[in-house]
Amino acid sequence: MPASSPLKFPPSPSLENGQIGDMTIPLLLVGLRAQGATGVLTIERPGQIKTIYISRGLPVGVASNQRHEQLGAFLLEEGKISLADFRAATELIQEKQMKQGEAFILLGKLTSAEVYQALERQARFRILDVFGWDTGHYAFSTNDSFWNDITAVDLPFLEVLAEGMRRTYGFTRLARLFDGLEKTYFSLEERFVGEGGWTGLQDRELRLLPSINGTRTLVDLAALPGVDLRLLFPLLAYLALGGWLKGAPAPAETFVMDGTPAAAASSTSPKDMEMRNVILENYIRVKAYNYYRLLGVTPAATPEQIQQAYEKLSQKYDPARYTQYDLGPMRARLFEIYAKIETASQTLRDTNRRASYDLFLKRNEEAFESDRRQRFSAEIEFTLGREHLEKGRLPTALQHLSRAADLNPRQPDYLSGLASAYMKSEPPQVVEAKTRLAAALELDPHHFRSIVELGKVYQYEGRTEMARKMYESADRIRPETPEVTGLLRQVSAKSA
């Protein structure tokens, strides 16, 4: 992390060995990446040992001594194999002294590609688990003799780092990093784009990036419509860990993310700066799109439809149309957008290349199949949370509802349920409740329960007119609901 960053991360750990403390693991992984180290990182706590194999600063494999994290048990939990398959593979492994993946291939239960994808998912699971360790010991030994002992996988480092920050470090822990920084103006380093820092981010985080431009304080960022502090804090912490975040006591003269020196800002017109921001925002989005989404066509599109979409987009992003603007470093990004549109068109209009690309997309989709299990777990947590809330067991209800919202943050029901529990606390946790409701209404502006709960928050704050507006909105969505009718009667009586 650069020295200019104002965030108060724990001291960077020694890369050789030390004790695990608050945020040691992400700092350690970022340090190894920065040095381009190659070797073996061993992380240990009582009863558990994880071994992460590092090549040129990037994890290429993760081993564990935990039986439930072995490949066979992992596949069994995912539902990819049956118990009978697992037992047959175990017998084969003992008989022929082979690896588990090889046994499943020999038995005809999985293809080589499916085993490789499973190994990638397994490595990701193992390394994300280590993010949650705050005790134990680690040691790193420099060597490159491990290649014959592992099946190397391609782990997207930045994506794993971003996911680890989101999953592991909660609101309270991350909030400590921002103490006293309410008036700091945050901005992004130019190299954020060149190093692909956006690859680990979700859509809501991508939409927030242009706002981190050196002209808003932390308070301003938190006040933006639909911004959840549980989204903002992990995002800023992730950017700081990658070395892409800067802070200053005064607003920047220009959009720092485009790399323009402050001295050149005065010679750049507002229209030029606005166009740079537009190009940058589109560049970040385009990098995350697959070829079909980029061209705006379906996987069933004909070559003629693809050609029409290509002609429309290529005209829009033709660099010749932007010669009147001083785009600075963003001109190179414009050419990259144009090049990706060209590549997408050529790939999808060629039968063989399209078939290969479709197979690539299918394999990526399979890697996210485990998300279904996560959504199911979230629904169970939500159901338990509501039951405990109805019985007045608030602390237990909050635990279950928080887990549901963490497991599936795109479900408004879970967010509004958690907000309701926060308002029943003593005293009510108003800020937390508002944050969840804002996130829920960003996902679904017409979500009935979130609108009602926001009305209750306003009513608690004494903002009767705002409460009335919320209840009236809810009444239009579900007319003559007894609960809403009663709440409207309450606020009407108060204002009479």
Side-chain angles (χ1 to χ4, degrees):
M1 190 174 60
S4 60
S5 172
L7 301 191
K8 294 177 286 189
F9 280 107
S12 296
S14 162
L15 298 186
E16 294 182 358
N17 61 76
Q19 298 297 317
I20 299 172
D22 200 22
M23 294 191 193
T24 296
I25 299 302
L27 285 167
L28 187 59
L29 292 175
V30 168
L32 291 169
R33 176 176 179 263
Q35 290 199 7
T38 295
V40 180
L41 174 64
T42 303
I43 306 172
E44 184 174 357
R45 66 181 180 181
Q48 290 183 282
I49 302 174
K50 297 280 180 78
T51 305
I52 303 176
Y53 301 97
I54 307 287
S55 175
R56 297 182 180 180
L58 300 176
V60 293
V62 189
S64 170
N65 72 333
Q66 299 295 293
R67 294 191 61 177
H68 72 278
E69 291 187 8
Q70 302 306 312
L71 182 62
F74 186 76
L75 290 167
L76 187 61
E77 185 179 350
E78 283 192 325
K80 301 294 184 183
I81 60 171
S82 67
L83 185 58
D85 297 334
F86 178 76
R87 288 171 175 165
T90 301
E91 291 177 4
L92 196 57
I93 291 165
Q94 293 172 348
E95 177 186 342
K96 298 190 177 256
Q97 300 298 306
M98 60 173 54
K99 293 181 179 180
Q100 285 187 323
E102 294 172 338
F104 291 120
I105 294 170
L106 190 60
L107 289 168
K109 301 304 177 182
L110 296 172
T111 65
S112 297
E114 288 171 334
V115 168
Y116 183 78
Q117 291 162 11
L119 288 170
E120 285 187 327
R121 295 194 304 274
Q122 178 194 38
R124 188 188 190 104
F125 172 83
R126 287 171 169 176
I127 203 168
L128 286 172
D129 176 64
V130 178
F131 271 75
W133 292 20
D134 53 13
T135 60
H137 179 269
Y138 70 88
F140 179 75
S141 60
T142 302
N143 71 73
D144 59 359
S145 61
F146 54 79
W147 291 105
N148 292 332
D149 301 325
I150 70 168
T151 300
V153 295
D154 183 16
L155 277 176
F157 175 79
L158 294 174
E159 189 175 314
V160 171
L161 180 63
E163 188 174 351
M165 294 299 297
R166 274 192 296 269
R167 282 192 186 187
T168 308
Y169 303 109
F171 177 88
T172 303
R173 188 186 299 189
L174 288 176
R176 295 201 303 266
L177 302 175
F178 299 86
D179 286 346
L181 299 179
E182 293 81 4
K183 296 182 180 180
T184 297
Y185 291 85
F186 290 113
S187 58
L188 289 173
E189 295 275 9
E190 176 193 1
R191 58 195 180 84
F192 166 78
V193 177
E195 293 181 2
W198 71 86
T199 57
L201 302 180
Q202 299 175 345
D203 285 346
R204 290 175 63 204
E205 293 166 326
L206 289 174
R207 290 197 295 270
L208 184 56
L209 282 178
S211 301
I212 307 174
N213 59 11
T215 62
R216 288 183 174 88
T217 65
L218 180 62
V219 173
D220 294 332
L221 287 169
L224 289 172
V227 172
D228 184 340
L229 294 180
R230 290 181 184 267
L231 166 75
L232 179 62
F233 284 1
L235 173 61
L236 292 179
Y238 162 71
L239 294 172
L241 271 177
W244 301 304
L245 189 69
K246 295 193 298 186
E253 293 295 327
T254 183
F255 192 76
V256 179
M257 201 167 162
D258 72 3
T260 304
S266 58
S267 62
T268 307
S269 71
K271 285 188 176 180
D272 290 339
M273 295 307 303
E274 181 181 356
M275 187 53 67
R276 291 185 189 190
N277 292 347
V278 169
I279 296 299
L280 179 62
E281 184 173 355
N282 280 278
Y283 173 75
I284 292 173
R285 291 180 184 279
V286 163
K287 292 292 284 187
Y289 287 169
N290 67 41
Y291 290 164
Y292 291 105
R293 188 176 180 188
L294 172 60
L295 296 177
V297 297
T298 68
T302 64
E304 292 75 20
Q305 291 172 325
I306 292 168
Q307 178 64 23
Q308 290 173 1
Y310 162 71
E311 290 174 356
K312 182 178 178 181
L313 271 180
S314 62
Q315 289 176 13
K316 178 179 178 181
Y317 290 104
D318 186 347
R321 293 190 59 192
Y322 299 85
T323 54
Q324 72 271 35
Y325 297 104
D326 176 10
L327 296 180
M330 288 303 106
R331 185 162 296 280
R333 307 302 177 211
L334 179 61
F335 276 97
E336 290 185 53
I337 295 173
Y338 190 78
K340 184 167 182 178
I341 294 168
E342 182 78 24
T343 303
S345 172
Q346 292 175 357
T347 299
L348 298 185
R349 283 186 291 142
D350 182 286
T351 303
N352 292 330
R353 289 176 65 181
R354 184 171 179 174
S356 297
Y357 185 69
D358 287 344
L359 180 60
F360 163 77
L361 292 181
K362 181 181 178 182
R363 288 175 175 172
N364 276 355
E365 289 172 4
E366 290 172 351
F368 291 98
E369 277 296 307
S370 58
D371 285 351
R372 291 188 301 176
R373 187 175 72 250
Q374 185 164 305
R375 289 195 294 270
F376 180 70
S377 298
E379 186 62 26
I380 292 175
E381 294 288 352
F382 179 63
T383 302
L384 290 171
R386 284 195 305 182
E387 289 176 358
H388 284 293
L389 194 61
E390 290 170 1
K391 295 176 181 178
R393 303 167 186 160
L394 187 60
T396 307
L398 276 169
Q399 288 178 4
H400 287 293
L401 293 170
S402 294
R403 286 190 203 122
D406 288 341
L407 286 167
N408 189 357
R410 300 192 62 79
Q411 173 53 266
D413 287 344
Y414 302 167
L415 295 166
S416 63
L418 182 55
S420 175
Y422 278 130
M423 289 304 294
K424 291 178 180 177
S425 302
E426 288 296 333
Q429 299 182 46
V430 177
V431 175
E432 292 280 5
K434 276 187 172 180
T435 299
R436 297 309 181 288
L437 293 172
L441 291 171
E442 182 187 13
L443 293 168
D444 180 2
H446 304 289
H447 189 250
F448 174 79
R449 179 45 52 189
S450 295
I451 293 172
V452 172
E453 293 300 329
L454 186 55
K456 291 179 180 178
V457 173
Y458 286 138
Q459 190 172 352
Y460 171 81
E461 293 179 325
R463 301 167 68 182
T464 306
E465 198 55 39
M466 289 297 295
R468 183 204 303 278
K469 288 181 180 179
M470 291 296 105
Y471 297 149
E472 288 174 348
S473 296
D475 190 55
R476 286 192 292 272
I477 296 170
R478 295 187 191 174
E480 299 181 356
T481 304
E483 179 189 13
V484 177
T485 302
L487 291 167
L488 274 170
R489 207 176 290 123
Q490 287 179 18
V491 294
S492 298
K494 285 187 178 181
S495 57

